[in-house]
C-alpha cells in the first residue's frame, strides 16, 4: 500500500495536511488535523511549517509500519453496527429541520438560524426532485452530497434573485451552504446518530469556496493619520476614537455599541476587554495596549453601565463619519468602513510578527471554512502580541 502526505488549500489560504492511502481497488484519506500557514517571508511561520511537515512524515512512517485497524473497515459496516433509536428512523430531511431548531434553542443569532432553515428547505426540495424524501440520515453517502452540491451549483435558482442575476447563488451563499451542510453532519456524528461525516469524502473541485477578495485595511501610517485628524464635531470625535479602539482590539461595531466599563477588566499589570461577542456568542479577551487605553474617555467615578462610545443608531451614519475622517486624513483609493478596523487589527498584529492562530484568537473568530481545530492561545501570548504593536506608534 502506498501512503502519501497531501495538502488541501483552504479558502483562508491555509493548507490542511492529509494522508492518502492507495492500493488497487482501495483508496482512503485520513485528516491529520495539521495546518500549514502562508509564510510570505515570515521566518517564524516557515519554522512552524517545517516542524508540521516533519510531524506529518513521522505519522506517515508509523502508518506504513503499523496500519491502523480502522483503515480497512468499511464505513457502511460501521453504520450497520451503530445502534440508536434515531439512527434507524431519522430521515435526512427531518434532521435538517431538527438541526435548525437545535441552533435556535442553543442561542444561535437570527441570521444563523435563518440560514439553517433555508438549507433545510433546499434539502427537502432536492430530495423531492430525486424522489428520495425518505432517505435515512445514516444512509447518506458522499455521492448524495456530491449530487446535492452539483444541483445547488448548477440548477438551483433563488426566486428572489431572478431579476438580479438569474437566481444563481453567489459564491458566498454557496460557501455558506457548504459550511452548514458540513456542520450539520458533524453535529450528527457528535450526537452519535451516524458514525462518520460523508462530506469528508468530497474532492476539492466538488466543494464550495469563496474567491479571494480584497479586504480593505489601514496601514500603520494611515491609522496614525486617521487618529491625528482634528474632529469637527463631537459625533465625529466619538467615531474616530471608537474606530481607533476597534483597530487595537478587533471588536465589531455591534460589540462596540455595547462596550461598557464593566467589560474592561484587570489582567496582570494592565487591563483587557472581556466580553461575549454578539454575533458569534463566543467570549473574547483582548489585552489593551497603551494606544488603546489612550483612546478611552475618562472613566466615570460611578459606573452607570452605559456604553463607553455613544454611537448613532444607524450604521450608515457611522460609516459616513469614518469616510469623512478618512478623506481629511488624505487616505485615497480605499473604501473605508468601520469594519475595516478588524482587518487593521490583523495587519498590525502580523506586522508585529504574530502567528495566524494568535490573530484569530484576538479577533474572537472560530473558523467555519476549515474543520481544522486551531490551538488555543494563552493570555500571555496575546498580551505579547498587542504590546508589540505599541512600538509601531513611536
Amino acid at each position: 500500500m502506498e501512503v502519501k502526505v497531501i495538502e488541501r488549500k483552504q479558502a483562508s489560504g491555509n493548507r490542511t495536511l492529509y494522508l492518502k492511502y492507495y492500493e488497487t481497488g482501495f483508496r482512503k484519506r485520513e485528516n491529520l488535523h495539521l495546518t500549514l500557514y502562508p509564510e510570505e517571508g515570515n521566518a517564524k511561520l516557515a519554522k512552524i511549517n517545517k516542524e508540521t511537515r516533519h510531524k506529518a512524515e513521522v505519522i506517515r512512517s508509523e502508518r506504513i509500519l503499523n496500519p491502523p485497524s480502522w483503515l480497512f473497515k468499511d464505513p457502511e459496516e460501521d453504520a450497520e453496527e451503530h445502534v440508536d433509536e434515531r439512527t434507524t428512523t431519522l430521515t435526512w430531511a427531518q434532521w435538517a429541520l431538527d438541526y435548525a431548531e437545535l441552533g435556535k434553542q442553543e442561542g444561535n443569532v437570527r441570521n444563523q438560524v435563518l440560514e439553517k432553515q433555508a438549507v433545510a428547505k433546499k434539502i427537502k426540495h432536492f430530495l423531492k426532485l430525486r424522489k428520495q424524501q425518505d432517505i435515512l440520515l445514516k444512509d447518506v453517502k458522499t455521492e448524495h452530497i456530491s449530487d446535492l452540491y452539483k444541483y445547488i451549483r448548477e440548477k438551483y435558482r433563488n426566486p428572489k434573485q431572478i431579476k438580479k442575476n438569474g437566481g444563481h447563488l453567489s459564491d458566498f451563499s454557496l460557501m455558506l451552504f457548504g459550511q452548514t451542510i458540513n456542520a450539520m453532519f458533524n453535529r450528527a456524528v457528535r450526537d452519535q446518530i451516524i458514525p462518520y461525516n460523508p462530506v469528508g469524502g468530497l474532492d476539492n473541485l466538488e466543494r464550495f469556496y469563496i474567491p479571494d477578495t480584497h479586504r480593505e485595511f489601514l496601514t500603520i501610517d494611515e491609522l496614525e493619520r486617521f487618529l491625528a485628524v482634528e474632529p469637527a464635531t463631537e459625533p465625529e470625535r466619538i467615531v474616530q476614537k471608537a474606530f481607533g479602539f476597534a483597530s487595537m482590539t478587533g471588536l465589531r461595531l455591534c460589540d462596540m455599541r455595547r462596550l461598557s466599563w464593566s467589560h474592561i477588566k484587570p489582567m496582570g499589570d494592565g487591563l483587557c476587554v472581556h466580553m461575549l461577542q454578539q454575533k458569534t456568542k463566543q467570549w473574547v479577551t483582548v489585552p489593551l495596549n497603551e494606544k488603546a487605553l489612550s483612546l478611552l474617555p475618562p472613566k466615570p467615578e460611578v459606573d452607570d453601565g452605559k456604553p463607553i462610545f455613544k454611537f448613532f443608531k444607524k450604521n450608515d451614519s457611522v460609516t459616513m463619519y469614518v469616510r469623512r475622517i478618512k478623506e481629511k486624513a488624505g487616505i485615497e483609493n480605499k473604501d473605508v468602513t468601520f469594519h475595516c478596523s478588524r482587518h487593521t487589527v490583523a495587519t498590525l498584529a502580523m506586522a508585529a510578527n504574530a502567528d495566524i492562530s494568535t490573530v484569530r484568537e484576538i479577533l474572537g473568530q472560530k473558523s467555519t471554512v476549515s474543520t481544522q481545530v486551531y490551538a488555543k492561545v494563552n493570555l500571555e501570548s496575546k498580551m505579547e502580541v498587542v504590546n508589540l504593536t505599541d512600538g509601531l506608534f513611536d
Side-chain angles (χ1 to χ4, degrees):
M1 176 178 294
E2 185 177 4
V3 184
K4 291 183 178 180
V5 177
I6 61 172
E7 299 179 7
R8 172 179 289 175
K9 187 175 181 180
Q10 305 294 335
S12 62
N14 296 341
R15 285 162 292 158
T16 303
L17 296 183
Y18 290 79
L19 285 185
K20 201 160 189 178
Y21 300 85
Y22 300 88
E23 198 172 66
T24 304
F26 178 87
R27 179 174 296 182
K28 271 197 176 183
R29 183 165 49 199
E30 177 188 359
N31 189 346
L32 296 180
H33 299 290
L34 297 174
T35 297
L36 300 177
Y37 302 110
E39 297 174 10
E40 299 178 356
N42 188 315
K44 184 177 180 181
L45 286 180
K47 182 179 179 181
I48 292 173
N49 287 343
K50 183 178 179 180
E51 293 172 350
T52 301
R53 287 192 177 94
H54 176 71
K55 187 181 296 185
E57 288 297 333
V58 170
I59 297 174
R60 172 179 172 272
S61 300
E62 291 175 349
R63 294 290 189 266
I64 293 173
L65 294 174
N66 301 295
S69 58
W70 55 259
L71 180 61
F72 304 101
K73 198 166 186 178
D74 189 342
E76 294 188 19
E77 293 179 6
D78 286 348
E80 292 175 0
E81 294 175 5
H82 192 91
V83 179
D84 181 278
E85 183 179 350
R86 287 183 298 176
T87 301
T88 57
T89 59
L90 186 62
T91 65
W92 185 9
Q94 184 58 51
W95 174 244
L97 292 172
D98 291 351
Y99 179 66
E101 183 60 30
L102 281 171
K104 188 175 182 180
Q105 294 174 4
E106 293 171 359
N108 286 176
V109 296
R110 183 172 179 272
N111 286 347
Q112 290 176 320
V113 174
L114 291 176
E115 175 61 25
K116 291 177 180 179
Q117 291 173 341
V119 168
K121 187 175 180 180
K122 290 181 177 70
I123 291 174
K124 181 180 179 181
H125 181 68
F126 166 77
L127 293 176
K128 184 177 180 180
L129 290 175
R130 297 295 189 273
K131 297 181 180 180
Q132 294 179 314
Q133 297 97 316
D134 297 328
I135 184 173
L136 296 178
L137 185 66
K138 73 179 182 66
D139 294 329
V140 178
K141 303 295 186 293
T142 299
E143 52 264 32
H144 295 112
I145 305 297
S146 179
D147 193 22
L148 170 64
Y149 280 22
K150 184 176 181 181
Y151 165 75
I152 292 295
R153 179 185 282 114
E154 299 177 1
K155 296 183 178 180
Y156 176 80
R157 298 293 181 269
N158 184 349
K160 297 180 181 180
Q161 298 291 327
I162 294 295
K163 292 183 179 180
K164 184 177 180 181
N165 61 356
H168 294 275
L169 293 182
S170 66
D171 290 323
F172 180 78
S173 295
L174 289 173
M175 184 192 69
L176 206 57
F177 179 85
Q179 290 176 347
T180 304
I181 293 292
N182 187 54
M184 176 189 301
F185 281 96
N186 278 339
R187 178 60 184 265
V189 172
R190 290 198 304 272
D191 288 358
Q192 297 186 335
I193 303 172
I194 57 176
Y196 72 103
N197 183 347
V199 177
L202 292 175
D203 291 333
N204 287 351
L205 294 178
E206 295 177 297
R207 297 172 182 268
F208 297 125
Y209 294 108
I210 191 168
D212 291 337
T213 56
H214 177 66
R215 293 185 173 184
E216 207 72 88
F217 61 86
L218 298 188
T219 64
I220 299 165
D221 174 67
E222 289 170 339
L223 181 58
E224 286 185 309
R225 284 153 50 195
F226 184 97
L227 296 175
V229 168
E230 186 64 34
T233 63
E234 180 62 13
E236 189 170 302
R237 185 192 67 80
I238 292 174
V239 171
Q240 180 189 45
K241 298 290 186 182
F243 183 93
F245 188 83
S247 295
M248 298 293 106
T249 60
L251 294 181
R252 296 178 178 86
L253 178 57
C254 59
D255 292 325
M256 287 294 297
R257 289 184 180 280
R258 299 165 43 243
L259 182 69
S260 67
W261 286 105
S262 64
H263 295 122
I264 308 298
K265 308 285 188 181
M267 188 180 76
D269 295 330
L271 297 173
C272 71
V273 171
H274 179 68
M275 68 187 307
L276 184 67
Q277 296 178 106
Q278 181 174 315
K279 180 178 179 180
T280 64
K281 304 303 179 184
Q282 299 285 325
W283 285 95
V284 63
T285 303
V286 183
L288 299 178
N289 59 23
E290 294 179 6
K291 190 65 178 181
L293 292 172
S294 71
L295 295 167
L296 290 172
K299 183 178 180 180
E301 293 184 4
V302 179
D303 183 10
D304 55 10
K306 293 181 179 179
I308 294 176
F309 298 99
K310 298 176 177 60
F311 286 102
F312 301 95
K313 291 183 178 180
K314 293 183 178 181
N315 290 348
D316 288 346
S317 298
V318 176
T319 299
M320 177 189 71
Y321 277 101
V322 169
R323 287 172 173 161
R324 185 176 296 178
I325 299 168
K326 182 264 296 187
E327 291 173 0
K328 291 181 180 179
I331 302 170
E332 302 176 350
N333 303 319
K334 287 189 176 182
D335 183 20
V336 182
T337 64
F338 195 91
H339 194 71
C340 294
S341 60
R342 278 177 64 80
H343 305 322
T344 301
V345 169
T347 303
L348 293 176
M350 293 305 292
N353 294 321
D355 61 83
I356 292 176
S357 295
T358 306
V359 175
R360 284 181 179 274
E361 193 76 10
I362 290 173
L363 293 178
Q365 292 179 327
K366 188 176 182 180
S367 175
T368 54
V369 175
S370 170
T371 56
Q372 172 69 34
V373 179
Y374 290 90
K376 291 186 178 292
V377 182
N378 59 37
L379 294 180
E380 289 78 15
S381 177
K382 289 193 286 184
M383 175 70 84
E384 179 184 356
V385 170
V386 294
N387 282 345
L388 280 170
T389 64
D390 275 341
L392 300 174
F393 289 92
D394 292 338

